[in-house]
Amino acid sequence: MAVKKWILREADKEKASVLSEKFNIDPFIAYLLVSRGIDTELAVSSFLSDSFEIVSPFHFADMEEAAFTIGDAVDAGEKICIYGDYDCDGITSTALLYSFLKEENADVFYYIPQRLTEGYGMNTEAIDAIKAQGAQLIITVDNGISSLEEAEYIYSLGMRLVVTDHHQLGDTLPRAEAVVNPYRAENELEFRDYCGVGVVFKLICAMYEGEVSDLVEQYIDLVAIGTIGDVVPLLAENRAFVKAGLQHMQRCPRKAIEAVKRAAGKSTFTAGEIAFLLCPRLNAMGRMGDAARAVEFLISEDEQDCTVKYEQLCIENTHRQETEREILDDVNEQIAENPKLVAGRVIVIAGERYHHGVTGIVASHVLEKYGKPTFIISIDEDGIARGSARSIEGFHIYDAINACSGDVIRFGGHPLAAGVTLKAESIDAFRQHINEYALSAYPNGVPMTLTIDCKISPNYLTLELADMLSLLEPYGAMNPQAVFGVYKMKLLSVTPLSEGRHVRLELEKKGRRIRAVKFGTRFEDFPYRAGDTVNLAVKIAKNFYNEKYYVSVQAVDVRLSDTDEERYFSEKTAYDNYRQTGRGTADLYPDRDTCAVIYKYLKAHGGYPYSTEDLYFRLQQQVTYGQLLFALKAFAQAGLITISDTIQLNPAVGKVKLEETKVLTTLRERLIIG
């Protein structure tokens, strides 16, 4: 995986002390809250409160018009269509509004476009089908804000439109009876980061004539699921939605949630467990099959039916995982055959007929491995290529695509995720131009980061701390589970777990021993050994086993304690820049002495079974990143080593002249080294 830059949060200790006394909370928890920007009495009170206070829905522009339009249609017996979306947010939004309108005796049905054949948002063919079913009013949920032409088409057919959405606004709003969107400038909102189902919940609050508590009791679980699934900030009202939703799922779950509990063998859920167990399965139905079936699962009131439908969701999720692995295998083969695909600032990889439903997930995997914004593009039989992009914090992928808009047919998205459509013959030009843009706009590179809440002694990794941290739950976007830095720990042992899929570490510092588990790291891929002194980024939790609670320590990241990360990122940027531009400085060149240091280490260890990044950190005090990479290429060209996923020493080939290898000859010429 890509090396991440550790960012240590900072906080005003005096402010934390005042809040600790005011709210009678542990000073350490108060410090964590302040470090996350929750640093006023009002903010802390809201964050810690278990009460459910609804911000007036009429603080949204057009909310009154939306409520009246829909209410009048219900009273008049008009047929209403809910136009949804195929992701978790769109599915829960559809289920919520459909269930509410059914309770209001509305003549209502829903339509969710097929991801593969129709794509995101509204389209005229779907509108024709909705018209044919007799609809007189269409209500969008989690989409519609950019459907300008489709909105006009709806009115040309004699239907009306209400838009509810949470995506960013364009220059022009679509024609509609009402457009409800938290990002409208006319809103009287302090908090705007609602997801689609949050906006729909505000809509039904505006329409309902009874107590809001009735709506909370019936629908808040759907709001919580969609809010978790759409990864919006779990702050302000979103946090209240999720807290109340999780409590509702424990107290009186709907039949669908009961089915999930039975399958998972759990009686309660955390937000993280919903994100892991349920949201991917709802998304998988939209990615691989028919998202309407996920809506049917959520609204079903029959226990056996929910059990069967949840099994179908699980089957589609397994299908999604298999398809994802197939595409990722093909991507990795392309990279192995052509390493230049990952040499630039932005990775652009295309393949024939990749499944559109999973290209975004594959892009996320590639991004995690290489630490670079990534496009995975599928080339269809018609010569049109469609792809998904994922980016890292600090690299605005939408702006990057916009800078290369001449290469694409259409695009859309956000700072961290986007979609593109272009002609297959334009892919190479697009790759070149977006890398040129990245080099110009981000000359120093943009590293992936890991936020550390604070440094901590291993003595404080206790059950007491785990109990105190429960005040921070539920976790999610903008309120992640706390990560602590534990520094200068001596590694005593590394033990494989679960047939080598994970590793357990035993560590010690000043007589205090701890055990930590590094999930998702195979034993043979873990580059540290007994005797190393390492820094760890860890999370802690409580585990119940054999009638007793234990503290569980999860290692999120591990590195050698003498790692100089600033130097690493600086040297890696210099190396990447050279590969893209052919320009660099003399400290990229490995002279004879530097090559001797590297080869001597390889010979002493019989090669190197881990990544070149790990090898660099072993040798960081003696070589630069560029020197190491170019020396390894020279060794390979001279026949001394073979580089694949590991570095293998080759049998002796006699005396070689490394300086005469092509890579070092070219490097000397370009760097003008005599």
Side-chain angles (χ1 to χ4, degrees):
M1 294 295 102
V3 178
K4 296 181 179 179
K5 185 175 184 177
W6 290 12
I7 306 295
L8 186 64
R9 292 188 194 267
E10 296 181 354
D12 185 326
K13 294 181 180 178
E14 184 175 342
K15 186 177 291 187
S17 178
V18 171
L19 293 172
S20 171
E21 292 186 15
K22 174 72 176 178
F23 291 94
N24 192 29
I25 56 177
D26 185 86
F28 185 64
I29 299 300
Y31 178 88
L32 294 180
L33 290 174
V34 172
S35 74
R36 294 171 179 225
I38 305 165
D39 57 2
T40 66
E41 290 187 13
L42 181 61
V44 173
S45 176
S46 173
F47 187 88
L48 297 179
S49 175
D50 284 328
S51 64
F52 196 91
E53 296 183 8
I54 300 290
V55 175
S56 171
F58 297 105
H59 288 174
F60 284 76
D62 276 9
M63 184 63 82
E64 190 170 359
E65 291 84 349
F68 278 135
T69 298
I70 300 170
D72 286 347
V74 173
D75 293 341
E78 295 182 8
K79 187 176 282 289
I80 300 170
C81 176
I82 300 166
Y83 196 108
D85 186 34
Y86 40 67
D87 69 358
C88 182
D89 187 19
I91 288 165
T92 51
S93 298
T94 303
L96 171 56
L97 187 55
Y98 177 80
S99 298
F100 172 78
L101 291 178
K102 272 294 186 183
E103 285 290 322
E104 296 294 300
N105 297 313
D107 184 1
V108 60
F109 68 100
Y110 54 84
Y111 182 94
I112 300 179
Q114 295 287 323
R115 184 180 193 126
L116 298 185
T117 57
E118 297 178 80
Y120 171 76
M122 306 185 80
N123 64 83
T124 55
E125 291 81 3
I127 294 168
D128 286 336
I130 291 168
K131 173 66 175 177
Q133 293 186 60
Q136 295 158 285
L137 174 67
I138 296 176
I139 309 169
T140 70
V141 296
D142 194 31
N143 73 97
I145 198 66
S146 60
S147 301
L148 305 184
E149 294 179 5
E150 291 81 3
E152 293 293 342
Y153 187 63
I154 287 169
Y155 279 88
S156 75
L157 296 179
M159 294 184 289
R160 291 168 296 142
L161 174 67
V162 170
V163 172
T164 75
D165 200 354
H166 72 113
H167 294 95
Q168 294 292 330
L169 308 175
D171 295 332
T172 305
L173 295 179
R175 180 182 177 185
E177 306 302 302
V179 176
V180 181
N181 185 301
Y183 294 109
R184 289 189 63 179
E186 303 93 324
N187 294 331
E188 299 176 359
L189 298 171
E190 292 185 9
F191 179 80
R192 295 173 180 263
D193 291 327
Y194 296 92
C195 64
V197 73
V199 176
V200 171
F201 185 71
K202 306 302 286 191
L203 172 65
I204 69 171
C205 287
M207 294 179 60
Y208 190 59
E209 295 180 355
E211 295 294 327
V212 170
S213 58
D214 298 339
L215 300 179
V216 172
E217 188 63 24
Q218 286 183 272
Y219 306 119
I220 199 62
D221 54 346
L222 295 176
V223 183
I225 294 165
T227 301
I228 293 168
D230 214 49
V231 201
V232 289
L234 286 197
L235 301 173
E237 207 166 4
N238 285 344
R239 179 174 171 83
F241 290 158
V242 173
K243 288 182 77 171
L246 293 173
Q247 291 167 3
H248 184 275
M249 288 181 225
Q250 180 177 354
R251 187 178 65 254
C252 50
R254 65 179 57 229
K255 298 299 183 185
I257 298 301
E258 287 182 347
V260 181
K261 284 184 175 182
R262 285 194 300 273
K266 300 186 71 67
S267 59
T268 63
F269 288 128
T270 65
E273 287 166 339
I274 290 293
F276 178 75
L277 290 170
L278 181 54
C279 296
R281 287 164 172 77
L282 295 175
N283 277 322
M285 191 60 79
R287 293 180 187 278
M288 311 302 296
D290 181 1
R293 293 163 65 191
V295 176
E296 293 166 7
F297 164 68
L298 290 175
I299 64 178
S300 175
E301 297 180 357
D302 180 87
E303 181 177 314
Q304 182 59 33
D305 182 57
C306 284
T307 298
V308 171
K309 283 183 165 60
Y310 186 65
E311 290 173 355
Q312 294 172 342
L313 293 182
C314 292
I315 290 170
E316 289 294 353
N317 193 49
T318 299
H319 182 205
R320 185 269 301 172
Q321 292 169 331
E322 293 170 348
T323 304
E324 177 186 321
R325 280 193 293 269
E326 291 172 1
I327 297 174
L328 191 56
D329 287 344
D330 185 75
V331 167
N332 288 332
E333 287 179 13
Q334 289 194 53
I335 294 170
E337 294 173 2
N338 182 14
K340 289 184 178 180
L341 286 172
V342 295
R345 292 290 182 83
V346 180
I347 297 171
V348 179
I349 297 178
E352 299 286 340
R353 293 183 294 279
Y354 287 164
H355 194 294
H356 296 297
V358 299
T359 52
I361 303 176
V362 175
S364 294
H365 287 308
V366 177
L367 178 148
E368 280 291 325
K369 183 174 182 178
Y370 294 99
K372 298 178 179 182
T374 299
F375 289 78
I376 300 298
I377 298 173
S378 173
I379 302 173
D380 295 339
E381 294 177 352
D382 57 5
I384 298 298
R386 299 172 178 85
S388 297
R390 296 293 183 269
S391 191
I392 57 181
E393 197 70 46
F395 188 103
H396 199 300
I397 197 69
Y398 182 90
D399 287 351
I401 302 170
N402 190 47
C404 311
S405 58
D407 296 322
V408 303
I409 297 171
R410 69 178 70 91
F411 68 98
H414 304 287
L416 296 179
V420 294
T421 301
L422 66 166
K423 294 180 179 178
E425 60 263 29
S426 300
I427 293 173
D428 289 341
F430 176 70
R431 180 186 295 113
Q432 177 185 338
H433 294 152
I434 202 164
N435 270 287
E436 289 171 352
Y437 167 84
L439 187 64
S440 172
Y442 303 94
N444 296 320
V446 181
M448 293 184 71
T449 60
L450 173 65
T451 299
I452 308 293
D453 283 87
C454 69
K455 296 181 181 179
I456 196 172
S457 164
N459 293 313
Y460 292 100
L461 299 176
T462 63
L463 281 173
E464 182 181 9
L465 176 59
D467 279 329
M468 290 191 299
L469 289 171
S470 65
L471 278 175
L472 301 179
E473 296 181 17
Y475 299 121
M478 300 294 289
N479 183 49
Q481 186 176 353
V483 177
F484 303 110
V486 188
Y487 289 68
K488 296 185 178 178
M489 301 291 296
K490 183 178 181 180
L491 184 58
L492 302 178
S493 66
V494 182
T495 306
L497 297 176
S498 301
E499 300 179 344
R501 294 193 299 272
H502 319 297
V503 292
R504 183 178 66 217
L505 315 177
E506 188 166 358
L507 308 108
E508 184 268 339
K509 181 179 181 180
K510 295 181 180 179
R512 165 66 169 165
R513 289 196 176 195
I514 64 170
R515 284 183 172 179
V517 176
K518 182 78 169 62
F519 291 109
T521 298
R522 298 186 306 169
F523 177 74
E524 59 267 29
D525 293 336
F526 189 70
Y528 307 107
R529 53 182 180 265
D532 284 338
T533 301
V534 296
N535 297 342
L536 297 92
V538 303
K539 298 177 180 178
I540 71 167
K542 288 198 314 182
N543 274 354
F544 187 72
Y545 175 73
N546 201 19
E547 303 300 319
K548 186 178 179 180
Y549 281 105
Y550 296 86
V551 65
S552 169
V553 181
Q554 176 190 348
V556 179
D557 201 2
V558 184
R559 61 183 49 177
L560 294 172
S561 289
D562 60 358
T563 293
D564 185 338
E565 66 173 30
E566 293 292 342
R567 177 179 165 186
Y568 164 76
F569 287 112
S570 174
E571 292 176 358
K572 187 174 187 305
T573 297
Y575 172 77
D576 288 342
N577 286 352
Y578 172 83
R579 293 189 72 189
Q580 193 167 344
T581 68
R583 298 188 298 274
T585 56
D587 58 3
L588 290 170
Y589 186 82
D591 60 19
R592 181 183 296 273
D593 291 340
T594 301
C595 288
V597 167
I598 298 168
Y599 190 72
K600 183 178 179 181
Y601 183 91
L602 294 176
K603 196 168 183 181
H605 293 83
Y608 195 71
Y610 310 113
S611 73
T612 53
E613 246 73 8
D614 294 316
L615 178 58
Y616 165 77
F617 288 119
R618 292 285 178 186
L619 299 173
Q620 190 182 44
Q621 307 307 315
Q622 298 167 278
V623 305
T624 70
Y625 185 85
Q627 287 170 345
L628 174 65
L629 272 291
F630 284 120
L632 292 177
K633 291 178 181 179
F635 295 164
Q637 288 182 1
L640 297 174
I641 64 172
T642 298
I643 304 175
S644 54
D645 291 334
T646 62
I647 300 172
Q648 300 94 36
L649 288 175
N650 293 333
V653 294
K655 190 173 183 178
V656 298
K657 294 184 178 181
L658 290 175
E659 64 273 13
E660 295 182 4
T661 57
K662 181 178 180 181
V663 61
L664 294 190
T665 300
T666 301
L667 188 60
R668 279 197 312 276
E669 291 174 352
R670 289 182 176 175
L671 300 181
I672 316 178
I673 294 175

